[in-house]
């Protein structure tokens, strides 16, 4: 066992650091499995030597944030906590995704950092991961950042209109009103990054466009940042159609969770099929986030882990869920036993035509 003592400048700094009812203090104990005792303005950390050093480094970093800014946001605390849980990997705080007047967005963990880097390095990126891991949010932040730096002229948000296990029936209104329930998560992320008035202005001027996947056929989108969300609910044909919409100086980010497929049974997912076909092609990035990247309520990570453990015990993944085992030729006629590396990703898409025929 080891112990270390840290002293704070004043009680206000202590209250800021550990939050209401010492909420952050409790989270620190749970994350690192250490004993943390606060006495006045002195903090004593006891536990295994490595954990004590990690906890001390985290507290020191949080103190420096408070001294620089005068406050500590929940996002700052979560970022430092995730980095400590991941063994201190990466200089995450310096990898900024978006800087607004009142909001700074950065990856909160090594997995999210890898995702952001993939979006910077590739024109086409696939990202899979559980709910709450930041797939959609970071894609929207990168899109807004590209728009503000004049790297693209518009943002197109796309989602398949597939219901999650229940039929909504006829929806009244124009096209935007009909697809709004399906695209709401994308708009929520957009409005969390930009203010409501800015989003409304961009929508009115069609700088931001929302569209169901079915309305994308026949279009060529130049200088556009395209986000396809909930891509696990696309078919193979739909996925190919969307990927071939990319025009000059455009970028596509495809996100989804292969464990939450709502397609009819025996209909293969276009997301898992595309990753399998394209993951080795130059210019395409494939990132898989994990439960450790979840940044919603702490219970979300526990819920996802519980469901994943139960699924592994009782179920065989449907729809070719990711990660994929090597299928036999009889079970997967779309994939030859051996396929040479494609020269570029458009050649790989052409191979889908051959398979579908």
């Amino acid at each position: 066992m080891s112990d270390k003592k840290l002293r704070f400048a004043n009680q206000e700094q202590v209250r800021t650091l550990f939050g209401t009812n010492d909420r952050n203090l409790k989270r620190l104990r749970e994350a690192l499995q250490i004993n943390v005792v606060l006495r006045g303005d002195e903090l004593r950390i006891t536990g295994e030597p490595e954990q004590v050093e990690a906890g001390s480094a985290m507290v020191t970093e949080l103190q420096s944030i408070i001294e620089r800014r005068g406050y500590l946001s929940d996002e700052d605390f979560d970022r430092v906590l995730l980095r400590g849980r991941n063994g201190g990997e990466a200089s995450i705080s310096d990898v900024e995704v978006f800087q607004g007047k009142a909001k700074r967005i950065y990856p909160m963990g090594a997995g999210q950092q890898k995702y952001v880097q993939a979006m910077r390095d590739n024109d086409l990126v696939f990202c899979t991961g559980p709910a709450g891991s930041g797939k959609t949010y970071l894609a929207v932040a990168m899109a807004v950042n590209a728009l503000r730096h004049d790297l693209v002229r518009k943002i197109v948000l796309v989602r398949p209109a597939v219901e999650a296990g229940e039929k909504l029936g006829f929806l009244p209104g124009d096209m935007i009103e009909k697809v709004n329930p399906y695209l709401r998560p994308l708009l929520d992320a957009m409005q969390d990054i930009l203010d409501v008035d800015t989003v409304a202005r961009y929508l009115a001027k069609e700088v931001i466009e929302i569209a169901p996947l079915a309305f994308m056929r026949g279009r060529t989108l130049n200088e556009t940042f395209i986000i396809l969300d909930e891509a696990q609910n696309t078919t193979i044909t739909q996925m190919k159609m969307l990927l071939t919409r990319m025009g000059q100086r455009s970028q596509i980010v495809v996100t989804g969770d292969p464990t939450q497929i709502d397609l009819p049974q025996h209909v293969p997912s276009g997301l898992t099929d595309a990753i399998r076909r394209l993951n080795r092609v130059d210019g395409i990035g494939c990132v898989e986030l994990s439960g450790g990247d979840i940044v919603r309520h702490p219970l979300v990570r526990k819920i996802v882990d519980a469901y994943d453990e139960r699924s592994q015990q009782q179920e065989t993944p449907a729809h070719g869920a990711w990660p994929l085992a090597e299928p036999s030729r009889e079970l997967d006629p779309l994939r030859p036993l051996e396929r040479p590396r494609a020269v570029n990703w458009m050649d790989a898409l052409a191979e889908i035509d051959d398979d579908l025929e």
Side-chain angles (χ1 to χ4, degrees):
M1 295 288 287
S2 176
D3 74 304
K4 197 163 188 175
K5 294 180 180 179
L6 299 172
R7 187 172 294 276
F8 295 91
N10 51 60
Q11 283 293 315
E12 182 62 31
Q13 192 177 80
V14 172
R15 286 192 292 270
T16 302
L17 180 60
F18 295 115
T20 306
N21 298 323
D22 292 340
R23 178 185 62 182
N24 293 342
L25 180 60
K26 297 171 185 175
R27 292 184 61 194
L28 188 64
R29 287 174 179 151
E30 181 181 345
L32 295 180
Q33 298 298 304
I34 54 177
N35 186 33
V36 183
V37 178
L38 182 64
R39 293 285 184 269
D41 59 355
E42 185 177 85
L43 186 74
R44 183 180 181 185
I45 304 174
T46 59
E48 296 299 323
E50 289 185 3
Q51 299 300 89
V52 169
E53 287 301 318
S56 174
M58 289 169 62
V59 172
T60 300
E61 182 174 357
L62 292 168
Q63 279 183 292
S64 68
I65 292 173
I66 295 172
E67 290 171 358
R68 289 198 312 269
R69 302 182 187 172
Y71 69 92
L72 179 69
S73 68
D74 290 341
E75 290 83 359
D76 287 324
F77 185 86
D78 288 340
R79 171 179 57 81
V80 175
L81 191 65
L82 279 170
R83 184 163 63 184
R85 185 184 289 117
N86 291 333
E89 296 180 17
S91 179
I92 296 169
S93 60
D94 296 329
V95 185
E96 188 173 278
V97 179
F98 175 80
Q99 175 69 62
K101 292 182 179 179
K103 197 170 190 69
R104 179 173 177 249
I105 299 171
Y106 38 75
M108 298 174 65
Q112 290 193 359
Q113 184 180 17
K114 182 180 178 182
Y115 179 32
V116 169
Q117 194 61 49
M119 288 189 283
R120 289 176 173 171
D121 294 342
N122 300 280
D123 289 334
L124 174 58
V125 175
F126 294 93
C127 181
T128 62
S133 56
K135 306 181 299 294
T136 302
Y137 192 83
L138 287 175
V140 171
M142 288 290 288
V144 173
N145 190 61
L147 183 66
R148 288 201 162 180
H149 287 85
D150 295 323
L151 301 177
V152 296
R153 291 186 298 107
K154 68 184 300 182
I155 299 170
V156 175
L157 309 176
V158 185
R159 208 178 190 206
V162 176
E163 293 143 351
E166 56 183 321
K167 300 298 182 183
L168 300 180
F170 174 77
L171 295 175
D174 58 19
M175 187 193 76
I176 298 299
E177 292 170 329
K178 288 179 186 294
V179 302
N180 184 67
Y182 302 103
L183 295 166
R184 190 72 246 173
L186 287 167
L187 287 175
D188 287 344
M190 187 71 70
Q191 291 175 349
D192 190 60
I193 296 168
L194 300 171
D195 61 83
V196 176
D197 292 338
T198 300
V199 173
R201 186 172 68 253
Y202 282 165
L203 285 170
K205 294 182 177 180
E206 296 188 348
V207 174
I208 295 175
E209 178 184 346
I210 58 176
L213 183 57
F215 284 68
M216 298 300 292
R217 187 176 297 279
R219 302 181 63 181
T220 299
L221 299 171
N222 296 314
E223 298 180 81
T224 303
F225 199 113
I226 307 161
I227 301 173
L228 172 60
D229 194 34
E230 295 293 326
Q232 75 274 6
N233 289 325
T234 63
T235 65
I236 295 174
T237 302
Q238 287 174 327
M239 178 62 74
K240 176 180 179 272
M241 180 269 291
L242 186 280
L243 296 181
T244 53
R245 300 308 95 200
M246 180 188 283
Q248 297 296 321
R249 297 177 297 282
S250 289
Q251 183 172 0
I252 297 178
V253 176
V254 179
T255 68
D257 180 359
T259 68
Q260 297 189 12
I261 296 175
D262 299 309
L263 293 169
Q265 198 69 28
H266 309 303
V267 175
S269 168
L271 175 62
T272 53
D273 177 82
I275 291 174
R276 188 186 64 207
R277 294 175 187 272
L278 305 174
N279 72 87
R280 297 176 58 199
V281 177
D282 293 333
I284 297 178
C286 295
V287 179
E288 183 179 8
L289 301 179
S290 67
D293 297 299
I294 294 175
V295 293
R296 290 180 183 168
H297 192 285
L299 280 177
V300 174
R301 183 181 292 107
K302 297 178 182 179
I303 292 169
V304 169
D305 290 343
Y307 273 91
D308 286 348
E309 181 180 357
R310 186 72 172 175
S311 296
Q312 290 171 5
Q313 292 174 354
Q314 293 189 346
E315 299 176 7
T316 300
H319 306 282
W322 174 267
L324 292 165
E326 184 69 25
S328 68
R329 191 176 184 89
E330 290 75 22
L331 293 177
D332 188 5
L334 293 181
R335 184 180 184 182
L337 292 177
E338 296 292 338
R339 169 168 286 168
R341 181 184 177 90
V343 176
N344 58 61
W345 71 276
M346 290 304 292
D347 289 343
L349 287 175
E351 292 174 355
I352 300 179
D353 276 335
D354 297 337
D355 288 340
L356 291 177
E357 289 176 359

